Amino acid sequence: MPEPRPERETRPVQVALDADAVLVAMDDGSQCLGAAGAAGRANGWTGTLAECPYPYTYEVVLAAGTLPGQVPLQEVQSAVLIDEAEVPFRPLVVVTVTDLNGKPYRFESSAGF
């Protein structure tokens, strides 16, 4: 039986990656987990957050050769404008958490290529 929906929507405020899981802290203090599964994936994984009352979906995208536990992430509040004359920035890690209303929250590494 699924857990009951929370009384209010909450938002992710901090995201961290472990070797085989994404850890998401919510603005109400809840901690959620998104495990990669037994096999994990070298380029990332997707799923639904667990161990909290928020069944939000998430996607982890890793650049080739990136070790997830070693890259700090920060929320990206607005779209990044790309100068056509420059090579675009590509973060090493991107985690997108989408709430039940379909609103995405994007967290990415400041390190990139």
Side-chain angles (χ1 to χ4, degrees):
M1 179 176 221
E3 292 185 35
R5 285 182 71 154
E7 291 181 18
R8 73 171 184 93
E9 294 297 319
T10 191
R11 67 182 306 280
V13 293
Q14 187 175 13
V15 171
L17 286 180
D18 199 352
D20 60 354
V22 60
L23 308 168
V24 180
M26 299 295 192
D27 67 354
D28 67 353
S30 296
Q31 300 287 320
C32 302
L33 176 69
R41 292 196 169 74
N43 61 343
W45 62 93
T46 62
T48 301
L49 295 177
E51 298 186 20
C52 70
Y54 306 105
Y56 296 176
T57 59
Y58 68 89
E59 177 183 36
V60 176
V61 178
L62 303 172
T66 302
L67 300 174
Q70 299 179 351
V71 181
L73 303 174
Q74 55 195 321
E75 187 172 7
V76 177
Q77 297 287 338
S78 60
V80 177
L81 300 175
I82 297 174
D83 182 350
E84 296 293 330
E86 295 182 19
V87 174
F89 172 76
R90 294 182 189 96
L92 293 176
V93 178
V94 176
V95 176
T96 305
V97 179
T98 304
D99 70 16
L100 297 176
N101 293 321
K103 179 173 175 40
Y105 298 90
R106 182 181 168 106
F107 295 81
E108 63 182 42
S109 63
S110 57
F113 59 97

